[in-house]
Amino acid sequence: MDCRAAVDHHVCNGVCGCCGALRPRYKRLVDNIFPEDPEDGLVKTNMEKLTFYALSAPEKLDRIGAYLSERLIRDVGRHRYGYVCIAMEALDQLLMACHCQSINLFVESFLKMVAKLLESEKPNLQILGTNSFVKFANIEEDTPSYHRSYDFFVSRFSEMCHSSHDELEIRTKIRTSGIKGLQGVVRKTVNDELQANIWDPQHMDKIVPSLLFNLQHAEEAESRSPSPLQATEKEKESPTELAERCLRELLGRAAYGNIKNAIKPVLIHLDNHSLWEPKTFAIRCFKIIMYSIQPQHSHLVIQQLLGHLDANSKSAATVRAGIVEVLSEAAVIAASGSVGPTVLEVFNTLLRQLRLSIDYELTGSYDCAVISTKIIKEHEERMFQEAVIKTTGSFASTLPTYQRSEVMLFIMSKVPLPSLHHALDAGKAGENRNRLTQIMLLKSLLQVSTGFQCSNMLTALPSSFLDRLLSAALMEDADLRLFVLEILISFIDRHGNRPKFSTISTINDISVLKLKVDKCSRQDTVFMKKHSQQLYRHIYLTSKEESNVQPHYEALYSMLALISIELANEEVVVDLIRLVLAVQEIAQINEDNLPVYNRCALYALGAAYLNLISQLTTVPAFCQHIHEVLETRQKEAPYLLPEDVFVETPRLTKSLDHLVPEVFFRQSKISEVLGGSGYNSDRLSTPYIPQLTDEDRLSKRKSIGETISLQVEVESRNSPEKEERAPAEEITYETLKKAIVDSVAVEEQERERRRLVVEKFQKAPFEEIAAHCGARASLLQSKLNQIFEITIRPPPSPSGTITAAYGQPQNHSIPVYEMKFPDLCVY
C-alpha cells in the first residue's frame, strides 16, 4: 500500500513538474496539503495557503470541495484511511474559516463526503464522519439553503443508535456517535424554516424511538473505563445520558403544532416494547417530556395520553393502569393549567374508563356480545380502578377552586342514584353494576374533595350538588353512606381539625386538642339557614341504620363536631343538641329493633358529642349536667360510654331494657340551663322531628318513611302547580297517633314554616322572590279568570246547550279585566 502511495505521489509531482501550468491552482494547493506519509498528518503551511486562497477567491470554494470529495472517495475505495482523515480535517478547517455566499455548493460536497464515510462498514470511519457532521451542525450559515436534504443522515444516525456490534466498547461508541449525529441534525434544521421539516412524522418516527432505545438500554461501558481520572468528560458520557440530553433538547424546541408528532412515537414505542406494565420506564420518559416542553404546551401531552388510553380501552388492565399512572405523574408535574381548556373532557374520559372497567369485571369479557379469548383478572381490574381514582385526585389537585367545584358537580352527576327522574339498571347484574359504579365514583369524589379549601360553603356545596350527595346517604349500602359522610367532612373541615376527632371519647378538657376555631362567617350562617335541616335529617336517618359499624359512628361524630366548630352559631348549637337528643331517643325507644351494639353506639355517640359541645359553649350548669350523667353512666352503665363501645372488643350488656333515668340526658334540664344563658329555651324544649321528602319514598330501608304516609307532597307549598290537586293522605295508626299526641310538633313545624317564609323574603335574592311571586300571581290570575268566566257565562238553554245562532260564536265586548294596558299605566 505504501509503495502505491509513493508511486501516486511521485506521479503527481511529475505531472506538476512537467505540466504545472496546465493544472488549476486550487488542485495544486489541495494536492500539496497531503504529505508523502499519511502518518505525518496535514501539512499545516500548505493548508494555510489553501485557506487563504479560498478566502481570496470564494468562487473557487465549490471546486475545492468537489476536488477534495473526489480524492476522499478514491482514498476510501483504496482503503487509504490516513489520507481520508487528512481530507476530512481539511474540510473541517475550510468550513470553519469560510462563511461566504458560495459556501452552499461547498457544503454539498462536504455532505457527500460525510455520507460516504457513514456508508462505510468501518466503525472508525462512521465515527469520523459523525464528528465532522457535528462540527458542521454547530456552524451558523449566513445564507439559506433551499434544496438541502438530511433524510439520509436521519436514517443513518438512527441506524447507528441501534448498533448491535459484538464488542461492547465499539457498540457504545457507534451508538454515542449516532445520538450526537441526531442531535446535530436537530440543531441544524429545527430553527430553519427553509430546511426540511424535522418535525414531520417520517423523521420523528426514527429520531424519537432511537433516543428511547438508548434510554431503555443502559450500557456498561462506564464500568469498563480504565480509570475515572484518566477518562475525559466525553469518554464518560454514556449513550443513556446523551440520549436523555438530546431528547430534552428536541422537546424544548418543539412548538405548539409539533408536540403531537413528538409524543406519538413515544406512545408507539412503549406499546411495541410492552413498557406500560412495569411503568417505571414510561413514567421516567414522561417526566423528561413534561419537564422539557414549554409549560403552556403541557395540556397537549395530557390530551395525547387520554386519547391513547381510549385507544387501549380493550387492552389488558395492567397496560391501562400503566397509562393512568403516567397520567397521574404528568398531571402533578404540569400543575395549574395542565388540563387546558377541556377540563370536563379529561374527567369524562377517566370516568368512562372506570365504568368500562366495572363492566369488564362483571362480564369477564371485553365485548359483551362475543366471548373474549382474553382472560380478565378481577384483581387487575380493581388495581386499574384504584389507579383511575388516584389520577382523578391528582388532576383535581392542580385545578383552581372554581374548576374543582365544577369537576365535583360533574362527577356527582354521573353517580347512578334512585330519583324521580333517573332509573337504575334492573336485575341482579344491574344492581351489582350500580353498586360498583356508585362506590368508585364516590371514591373519586372523595379524592377530589380531599384538601379542598373554600371560604364560602354556598359555593363549595351548591344545592344541585348537595341534594344528590345527600340522597346517596339514604342508600342501603353501608360503604356508600360512609363515603358520603367522609366527603361532607372533607368539605366542612377547613382548618384541619378532622384528625383530632378520629376517635370518639369523653375527654375532660378539650383544650388539649388545640382546636382551630374561627368565628362563623356570614356566608356560613346563610349556608346553615338554607341547608341545616337537610343535613340534620340525613344525620338522623343515617344514625338509625342497622348496618352501621364503628367507622360510621366515628364519621357521624366528626361531622357533628366539625359543624359545631366550623359553621355553628347559637341557633345551630341548639338544633344540634336537639338532634343528638333525638338520636338518644332512637336508642331508647328502639322502634326499629336495633341490635344492642347499635343502641349502645348511639348512646355513646350522644355522650361524646354533648361532652364536647358543653365545653365549647362554656355554660357551667350545662357542663355540670353532662358531667353528672357521664359519672352515672361510668358507675351504673359503662357500656353506654364510647370508651367501652368503640374498641376492638366492645364491652356490652345483654339487655338495655332496665336502664335508670339518671343515665339519660334530659331535654327539659338542658333547655332550662341553656335558656338561662340566653339560648332559645322554647326551641330547645321542642323534640327534633325530621322533615320528609320524596327521597324517603325511593329509599329501600326501615325508616321513618315506612310509618308515615309518603303521599303528602312536601313541595306542594312551594310549587303553585301542585296546589290545585292535594293528594289524599293515607290514614295509618301512626298518623292517628301523631294527630293525638304530637300537636306540639305540628305547631313547631308550622312556626318553623312561617319563620322560613319571613327569612326568605328578608334574605333571598330579588330575582328569586320575583319569580316566586310571579308564579303565585299567575295562579291567582287563572283562578280569577275562571270566576269571571262563570259569572258572565249566559245561562244554559233547556236543551242543555248554550244559546247561539246556528253554532256561530257570539261576539262580546272585551271585559275590562282582559284589556291589555301599557306597563306605565298599570299601578
Side-chain angles (χ1 to χ4, degrees), residues 689-690 717 744-754:
I689 299 176
R717 294 176 177 174
V744 177
V746 174
E747 291 176 2
E748 169 63 17
Q749 289 181 354
E750 184 64 19
R751 190 158 52 246
E752 180 68 16
R753 186 182 71 83
R754 291 174 184 171

Side-chain angles (χ1 to χ4, degrees), residues 706-738:
E706 289 187 357
T707 58
I708 299 178
S709 171
L710 295 177
Q711 296 178 9
V712 180
E713 293 292 336
V714 176
E715 296 179 355
S716 61
R717 294 176 177 174
N718 299 328
S719 56
E721 295 80 359
K722 294 183 180 180
E723 291 184 7
E724 298 179 9
R725 273 188 318 174
E729 183 175 351
E730 180 183 351
I731 304 301
T732 65
Y733 171 77
E734 290 295 331
T735 56
L736 291 174
K737 180 180 176 181
K738 288 183 66 65

